[in-house]
Structures are given as C-alpha cells and as structure tokens.
Amino acid sequence: MECVPASLDDVGPEVKKDSVVEDPEHNVYTRFMKSHRCYDLVPTSSKLVVFDTSLQVKKAFFALVSNGVRAAPLWDSKKQCFVGMLTITDFINILHRYYKSPLVQIYELEEHKIETWREVYLQDSFKPLVSISPNASLYDAVASLVKHKIHRLPVIDPLTGNTLYILTHKRILKFLKLFISEMPKPAFMSRKLEELSIGTFDNIAVVRSDTPLYTALGIFVEQRVSALPVLDDKGRVVDIYSKFDVINLAAEKTYNNLDVTVTKALQHRSQYFEGVLTCHKHETLETIINRLVEAEVHRLVVVDEQEVVHGIVSLSDILQALVLTEGEEGTAR
C-alpha cells in the first residue's frame, strides 16, 4: 500500500501550527500514522541479531546481553522462515518454570535448544509470527502491537523474507514526537491525566523491597506486566524492577539463586539508574509524553504528593490513546 507523507497542507487552512483544536475527537495523529509507512522508521544502519532455533537457549540469552538487544527473531532452518521471537519474557518464563533452589542447577536453561523450549512452552498453541510489511502504515503497526499485546513487531520484506527492523512503541512515539510541533495540537493534549482514561489505576502489580526475586518473576508471568514498582513499608515507590532488569541475571550468571530479594537483584544493574520516573494525575498529557520521550523510558509511575503509587502510564497506553482513537476503524482496545 503506497502512502503519501502528510504535510501541513493536508490539515486545512483553518488550522495552523501551534493552534489548539477544540474538537477532542480530532484525529490528527491517526492521520499522521496512516500517512507514514513502517519503512520510514527503518534506519539506514542498525544492529539486528537473529537466532536459529537449533541454538542453545543459554547461549541465545548470553548473546542478547553481549549485543545489547532485548529480543531477536527466530529462524527455522527446516522451514526456511522466521517462526517467532526470543525475548526476555522467555528467559523469565524458563527461570520461573524450572527453578527449584540455589543448590539445583536449572538443567532446562543449560541444555535446552530454542526449538525444544518452544515445543514445551507453546505445546499445541503454536501461533504464526506477528510481523508487518515495510509498506504497511504506522497506524497498522500500532494497531497490531496493541491488538496482539506485544512490544516488538518485526518488519519483514515480503519479497525476500528478510527481517529489516524491529518496531517498538518507543521508536514509533519518538518518530511522532519529531513532527508533533508541526501539527495542530488537539485539545486533549492539554487535559490532565485524571480527566483522561489513559493508564492502569486498578490492581497495580507491585513488590516490596524484601520480596523474593522468584515471587517477582511469578508476577511477571501471571499478570503479564512489564515492570513492578518497588514499595517501602508506607507504600511509597523507592525503585522499579522491570523485565529488562531480569537479563542482568544472565549477564552476571546469577540466575541460579532466585531466593534473593528484589532489592539485592537491583544492585546488579548494568546501567546507571537515575531513579524512578514519575508523574502526577494533575499533569497534562503533553507533559507526560514529553517526559516519556525525553527520558527514553517505557512507563511512568503515577504517584501522589507523598510518592504513594496510584497507577502506571505506559508507552502502549499513550500510543493507543493518541492513534487508535474512538470511532476509528480497526481500533484495537
């Protein structure tokens, strides 16, 4: 599907740069996403790691760490096609399923091949790889990410079958932010978070400072969340443990002891940690988007004046609100 890049001329003479569109249903961001292709986000040069399904699981996770990537497409040599993705979620699922104690080696992690793990984990629920064509619109990409509840979408060339790039919420929102100042500003961007139904505010998954790491992994598996605010005894957020932090267990080769506390595990962060990034219900959507993009994080923890957790706002929540607006065909909510 050929798409023509949007310009200010498409918006109409009645709306100019920096003007506020009074109609909260105005779909300027949806139109922007529909007028740009996935190919527009593919960099001229980027690192892409691909694993053959015959590779040992442990070697694959070490390769993720050494290459500084969070996921890799899986190539099946027998079928001669990509069949899935290996992500940190797989690492978490393996650890949670097979861990027994610090004294017992996790045989399945040490010996299994990727194809063996997929057979055990997926059993009869094998699903085709969710991917997208470089010629598809960014709107279709956002809809696919939200509909399938995934965080990574491979862009695969339909002619060659090659994976060109891995699309993420962060990359798409960053692309939108590059052009957002050239577009008219919808009224909802100036509304407070508490006025908008964006984010999760009920049954927030959290852990305490002394929560065992194995318990935290169980919450990741069972509740399918990507991060857990760490609370002190007064309910105040003091840290955050994300799925990405779990890969440090592979980097440090400390995955054989999951009885340690979350606090202890967080001492092994490979990158400098600036603290938990938060926001308040009285802040505007525009402010929250700017903070997410500038800090290059996947979520903000919503807190009150005492730093007590009230909710989570993720990149997925933001993109869904901006792009998949009510009344739009193909909305995935």
Side-chain angles (χ1 to χ4, degrees), residues 89 121 127 148-151 218-227 243:
T89 300
Y121 179 61
K127 296 177 182 176
H148 297 285
K149 295 181 179 178
I150 55 178
H151 294 92
I219 298 173
F220 284 138
V221 172
E222 291 153 19
Q223 300 196 31
R224 293 192 66 181
V225 293
S226 60
K243 279 188 173 181

Side-chain angles (χ1 to χ4, degrees), residues 209-258:
S209 301
D210 59 354
T211 298
L213 186 53
Y214 182 77
T215 302
L217 298 186
I219 298 173
F220 284 138
V221 172
E222 291 153 19
Q223 300 196 31
R224 293 192 66 181
V225 293
S226 60
L228 299 167
V230 182
L231 311 185
D232 64 11
D233 54 3
K234 294 183 179 178
R236 296 173 301 197
V237 60
V238 292
D239 211 326
I240 192 161
Y241 191 68
S242 71
K243 279 188 173 181
F244 182 65
D245 290 315
V246 180
I247 203 67
N248 290 328
L249 297 174
E252 301 271 339
K253 297 182 175 62
T254 54
Y255 48 79
N256 262 328
N257 186 4
L258 303 182

Side-chain angles (χ1 to χ4, degrees), residues 136-265:
S137 71
L138 287 179
Y139 175 86
D140 290 337
V142 173
S144 186
L145 284 165
V146 173
K147 177 184 177 183
H148 297 285
K149 295 181 179 178
I150 55 178
H151 294 92
R152 285 163 188 81
L153 184 63
V155 179
I156 297 182
D157 189 322
L159 297 178
T160 64
N162 293 333
T163 300
L164 305 177
Y165 190 58
I166 308 294
L167 275 181
T168 62
H169 299 101
K170 184 191 284 189
R171 186 73 184 90
I172 294 172
L173 188 61
K174 194 171 183 179
F175 182 75
L176 174 63
K177 185 72 167 55
L178 289 173
F179 298 92
I180 211 165
S181 63
E182 299 174 11
M183 291 182 270
K185 185 167 72 174
F188 63 74
M189 289 289 278
S190 300
R191 293 176 66 188
K192 297 176 182 177
L193 185 62
E194 60 189 353
E195 300 170 353
L196 304 163
S197 299
I198 300 175
T200 303
F201 295 91
D202 297 318
N203 302 316
I204 306 300
V206 298
V207 291
R208 302 283 172 175
S209 301
D210 59 354
T211 298
L213 186 53
Y214 182 77
T215 302
L217 298 186
I219 298 173
F220 284 138
V221 172
E222 291 153 19
Q223 300 196 31
R224 293 192 66 181
V225 293
S226 60
L228 299 167
V230 182
L231 311 185
D232 64 11
D233 54 3
K234 294 183 179 178
R236 296 173 301 197
V237 60
V238 292
D239 211 326
I240 192 161
Y241 191 68
S242 71
K243 279 188 173 181
F244 182 65
D245 290 315
V246 180
I247 203 67
N248 290 328
L249 297 174
E252 301 271 339
K253 297 182 175 62
T254 54
Y255 48 79
N256 262 328
N257 186 4
L258 303 182
D259 294 348
V260 300
T261 64
V262 168
T263 301
K264 180 73 174 174

Side-chain angles (χ1 to χ4, degrees), residues 7-17 19 26 31 184:
S7 68
L8 285 176
D9 296 335
D10 299 331
V11 177
E14 71 282 2
V15 184
K16 296 180 181 178
K17 181 179 176 180
S19 62
H26 193 72
R31 289 158 56 192

Side-chain angles (χ1 to χ4, degrees), residues 4 13 38 56-57 60 84 116 153 199 222 246 276 286 296 305-306:
V4 181
C38 294
Q56 278 186 309
V57 166
T116 312
L153 184 63
E222 291 153 19
V246 180
V276 183
E286 184 176 23
E296 295 193 341
E305 303 306 322
Q306 283 73 47

